[in-house]
């Protein structure tokens, strides 16, 4: 696939301008980023799958449906502070580097998750129990504001241009794996302990495991190098500072880059609302609203996640071949036209129908998760990538995505219509289609503001040759346009009595 490579400094592109990515460092960066992200989604998965139990532990004086709403509200409230964390860590990430921030966010996430497992229940300390739970969730939300976006950028800036989709897909492979481990662990503990002991103390086990997982993630992230793109950007910024060129402020990011910010928000909305609807809310929907066996519902979602794990890397690889836009477009169309049929299947009594409905949503979600980690970082230049992505990503997640379980359940309670989640998915599908319509294809192209990146010297030569071929094609096209304009000029002159 021909690519248009433009040097960020408007100079002639030479072979030495193309960054050769060390394969060992790339694998290490992907592993460290994916593991940290897996831990983040392990927590969110555990919370979603154990929401019914948490409602009984922390809100025992309310009714069953209100308990679930209260637990989901505590889940959602953590998203309120995510934009604050995004701005804080985003600005630091563009100033100090991606690696330092990723090492910080994972330890904050591990500590706050571990502390949830230590909180006494409402029966022991009364109102202080939900208050402490809320504090831990806010701390989680603050750290998460810089976690996913930083990990996404880290992999994107480390990846060769031709493999960015495939490498980026492993980040959300970690997300789904975290969800899967969390769901599997909750199911296993519930099966071994039973409902009574699970309610008494078993629910603490998944949260306490965050401690050792966080230490492993911290070790991996502390032993990786900074991204080549950021190091080159620092060199350029030092040169700019010497010439009196100042850095872009937060206000300038919003005013000068408002279009990619809005595009990013739209893509995040369709992706994350679908994610939270299927993987976080659906177990509660199946058990509380459809009165389906809680353990059977969790098992179905686990099977869906296993299927997603199998296909996500292939989706990323496919996006390097056919582009990101076609896959996101298909997913958006699919959600709009198949959301209602999927929920009709889910509401059926037969487990085969239920699984088929969930699987349809899982396939559409995989089309999004497989490409977003390579699509979103490409929207912004290197100098503001962390800040801009963190702001747009976390505002979307905070206002629309993290509240998905709460809004879906509330809509059902208000309307008494079990199809409301399907209508909600249709709305976000329209948002996703509009956003991708205004997005330029970025597959096989360098990130904005960065020089091209290749896997080896031979690939670098191919990229350089494609760049030269692209220039020649543009020159030929301009020559043809000039010839056509010249011919039209002569025709017009001949028609004018005073010019010919």
């Amino acid at each position: 696939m021909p690519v248009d490579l433009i040097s960020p400094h408007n100079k002639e592109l030479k072979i030495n301008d193309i960054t050769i990515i060390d394969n060992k460092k790339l694998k290490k960066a992907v592993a460290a980023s994916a593991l940290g992200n897996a831990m983040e989604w392990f927590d969110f998965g555990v919370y979603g799958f154990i929401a019914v139990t948490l409602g009984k532990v922390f809100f025992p004086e309310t009714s069953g449906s209100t308990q679930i709403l209260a637990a989901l509200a505590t889940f959602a409230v953590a998203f309120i502070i995510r934009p604050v964390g995004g701005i804080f860590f985003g600005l630091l990430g563009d100033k100090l580097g991606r690696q330092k921030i990723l090492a910080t966010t994972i330890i904050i996430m591990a500590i706050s998750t571990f502390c949830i497992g230590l909180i006494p229940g409402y029966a022991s300390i009364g109102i202080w129990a939900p208050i402490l739970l809320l504090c831990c969730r806010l701390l989680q939300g603050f750290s998460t504001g810089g976690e996913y976006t930083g990990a996404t950028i880290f992999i994107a800036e480390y990846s060769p241009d031709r493999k960015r989709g495939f490498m980026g897909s492993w980040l959300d492979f970690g997300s789904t794996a975290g969800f899967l481990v969390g769901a599997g662990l909750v199911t296993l503990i519930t099966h071994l302990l039973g409902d009574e002991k699970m309610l008494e103390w078993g629910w603490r086990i998944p949260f306490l495991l965050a401690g050792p997982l966080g230490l492993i993630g911290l070790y991996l992230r502390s032993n990786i190098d900074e991204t080549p793109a950021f190091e080159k950007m620092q060199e350029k910024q030092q040169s700019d500072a010497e010439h009196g060129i100042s850095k872009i402020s937060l206000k300038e990011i919003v005013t000068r880059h408002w279009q990619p910010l809005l595009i990013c928000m739209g893509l995040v909305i369709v992706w994350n609302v679908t994610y939270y609807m299927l993987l976080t809310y659906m177990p509660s929907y199946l058990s509380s609203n459809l009165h389906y066996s809680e353990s059977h519902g969790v098992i179905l979602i686990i099977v869906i996640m296993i299927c997603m794990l199998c296909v996500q890397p292939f989706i990323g690889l496919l996006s390097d071949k056919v582009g990101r836009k076609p896959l996101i477009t298909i997913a958006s169309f699919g959600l709009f036209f198949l959301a209602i049929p999927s929920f009709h299947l889910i509401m059926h009594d037969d487990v085969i129908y239920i699984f088929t409905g969930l699987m349809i949503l899982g396939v559409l979600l995989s089309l999004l998760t497989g490409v977003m980690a390579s699509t979103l970082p490409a929207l912004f230049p290197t100098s503001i990538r962390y800040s801009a992505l963190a702001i747009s990503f976390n505002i979307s997640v905070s206002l629309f995505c993290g509240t998905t379980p709460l809004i879906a359940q509330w809509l059902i309670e208000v309307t008494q219509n079990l199809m409301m989640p399907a209508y909600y998915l249709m709305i976000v599908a329209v948002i996703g289609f509009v956003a991708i319509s205004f997005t330029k294809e970025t597959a096989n192209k360098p990130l904005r503001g960065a020089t091209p990146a290749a896997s080896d010297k031979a690939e670098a030569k191919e990229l350089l040759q494609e760049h030269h071929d692209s220039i020649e094609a543009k020159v030929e096209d301009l020559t043809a346009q000039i010839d056509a304009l010249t011919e039209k000029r002569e025709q017009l002159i001949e028609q004018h009595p005073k010019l010919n």
Side-chain angles (χ1 to χ4, degrees):
M1 181 186 294
V3 293
D4 179 21
L5 305 178
I6 301 175
S7 172
H9 307 298
N10 295 321
K11 297 179 181 179
E12 177 188 355
L13 185 69
K14 299 179 180 179
I15 191 67
N16 292 333
D17 294 324
I18 300 178
T19 303
I20 307 297
I21 303 296
D22 186 294
N23 193 49
K24 290 183 178 180
K25 289 184 178 181
L26 173 60
K27 290 180 179 179
K28 196 174 181 180
V30 171
S33 301
L35 179 62
N37 207 49
M39 180 190 157
E40 174 191 350
W41 292 101
F42 168 83
D43 163 61
F44 283 99
V46 165
Y47 199 102
F49 283 102
I50 212 169
V52 175
T53 301
L54 292 178
K56 296 176 182 178
V57 172
F58 291 97
F59 309 96
E61 297 186 352
T62 57
S63 63
S65 60
T66 307
Q67 283 179 357
I68 298 173
L69 277 174
L72 293 177
T74 308
F75 174 84
V77 77
F79 291 86
I80 296 175
I81 202 171
R82 280 188 66 156
V84 179
I87 294 173
F88 178 81
F89 290 116
L91 292 173
L92 287 180
D94 284 332
K95 181 180 180 181
L96 303 179
R98 292 47 166 133
Q99 184 269 339
K100 294 183 178 66
I101 300 305
L102 285 177
T104 302
T105 56
I106 195 171
I107 195 63
I108 296 176
M109 172 62 73
I111 292 173
S112 55
T113 305
F114 182 80
C115 287
I116 290 180
L118 300 177
I119 301 174
Y122 188 93
S124 299
I125 59 174
I127 192 64
W128 284 104
I131 291 176
L132 289 175
L133 176 64
L134 177 63
C135 291
C136 289
R137 290 292 299 159
L138 289 174
L139 190 58
Q140 285 179 326
F142 183 74
S143 64
T144 306
E147 167 60 38
Y148 181 81
T149 51
T152 302
I153 290 168
F154 200 83
I155 291 182
E157 292 184 348
Y158 244 115
S159 299
D161 297 337
R162 291 181 175 180
K163 297 181 179 178
R164 187 165 292 115
F166 177 65
M167 292 302 173
S169 67
W170 289 102
L171 181 65
D172 286 295
F173 181 94
S175 302
T176 308
F179 252 102
L180 178 60
V181 173
L185 188 61
V186 170
T187 304
L188 178 62
I189 294 173
T190 304
H191 176 73
L192 294 176
L193 299 181
D195 293 337
E196 185 176 342
K197 289 185 178 179
M198 187 68 181
L199 181 63
E200 184 179 348
W201 55 269
W203 64 269
R204 301 180 184 276
I205 297 175
F207 295 106
L208 295 176
L209 287 176
L213 288 176
L215 292 176
I216 295 172
L218 179 63
Y219 171 77
L220 289 174
R221 289 187 173 182
S222 299
N223 289 276
I224 50 179
D225 296 329
E226 188 54 78
T227 68
F230 181 80
E231 290 178 339
K232 288 191 174 184
M233 184 203 71
Q234 277 192 314
E235 295 176 1
K236 182 179 182 299
Q237 286 182 339
Q238 290 175 358
S239 175
D240 290 343
E242 293 174 358
H243 292 83
I245 303 176
S246 60
K247 296 181 180 179
I248 298 177
S249 65
L250 183 61
K251 180 180 178 181
E252 290 177 310
I253 291 176
V254 176
T255 56
R256 291 170 54 181
H257 298 271
W258 60 270
Q259 186 172 356
L261 286 171
L262 290 177
I263 290 173
C264 182
M265 291 177 66
L267 295 176
V268 171
I269 287 172
V270 64
W271 166 39
N272 269 263
V273 167
T274 308
Y275 206 117
Y276 285 108
M277 185 73 77
L278 178 62
L279 302 185
T280 298
Y281 175 64
M282 198 52 62
S284 298
Y285 177 82
L286 290 172
S287 61
S288 299
N289 297 302
L290 303 183
H291 308 293
Y292 194 68
S293 168
E294 186 173 343
S295 59
H296 289 176
V298 171
I299 290 173
L300 283 175
I301 298 299
I302 289 176
V303 174
I304 296 297
M305 286 190 285
I306 293 174
C307 295
M308 289 178 61
L309 281 177
C310 294
V311 303
Q312 278 180 198
F314 294 100
I315 296 296
L317 185 63
L318 181 63
S319 75
D320 286 327
K321 306 297 182 183
V322 304
R324 329 288 191 217
K325 289 190 65 172
L327 300 182
I328 297 175
T329 302
I330 292 172
S332 298
F333 267 108
L335 280 174
F336 185 83
F337 289 106
L338 298 178
I340 291 178
S342 295
F343 270 82
H344 276 301
L345 291 170
I346 291 170
M347 293 168 64
H348 202 280
D349 292 332
D350 193 317
V351 67
I352 300 299
Y353 286 92
I354 296 173
F355 178 78
T356 302
L358 294 173
M359 195 65 220
I360 291 172
L361 297 178
V363 170
L364 297 174
L365 176 58
S366 293
L367 292 176
L368 298 171
T369 56
V371 301
M372 283 299 178
S374 54
T375 301
L376 301 181
L379 295 172
F380 308 102
T382 308
S383 59
I384 65 165
R385 183 169 294 127
Y386 208 145
S387 303
L389 183 55
I391 292 169
S392 52
F393 185 94
N394 287 295
I395 288 177
S396 296
V397 172
S398 175
L399 295 180
F400 306 102
C401 308
T403 55
T404 296
L406 178 62
I407 292 175
Q409 184 65 25
W410 178 79
L411 287 172
I412 291 174
E413 294 285 341
V414 171
T415 64
Q416 296 298 305
N417 186 347
L418 294 177
M419 290 300 296
M420 292 307 295
Y423 303 146
Y424 196 45
L425 287 177
M426 293 176 68
I427 293 173
V428 301
V430 174
I431 295 174
F433 177 74
V434 173
I436 196 60
S437 299
F438 288 93
T439 306
K440 295 181 180 180
E441 183 58 71
T442 58
N444 295 288
K445 297 180 181 180
L447 296 171
R448 288 184 60 186
T451 54
S455 300
D456 49 42
K457 198 78 172 180
E459 186 176 292
K461 291 180 179 179
E462 291 178 9
L463 291 176
L464 186 62
Q465 184 59 51
E466 289 178 0
H467 173 62
H468 290 159
D469 292 343
S470 175
I471 291 177
E472 290 178 5
K474 287 185 176 181
V475 170
E476 292 176 359
D477 184 54
L478 288 172
T479 301
Q481 292 181 39
I482 291 172
D483 291 342
L485 289 171
T486 300
E487 182 178 350
K488 185 176 181 180
R489 175 179 179 276
E490 292 175 353
Q491 292 175 354
L492 291 173
I493 289 176
E494 291 178 357
Q495 296 176 30
H496 198 286
K498 295 184 179 180
L499 296 179
N500 57 29

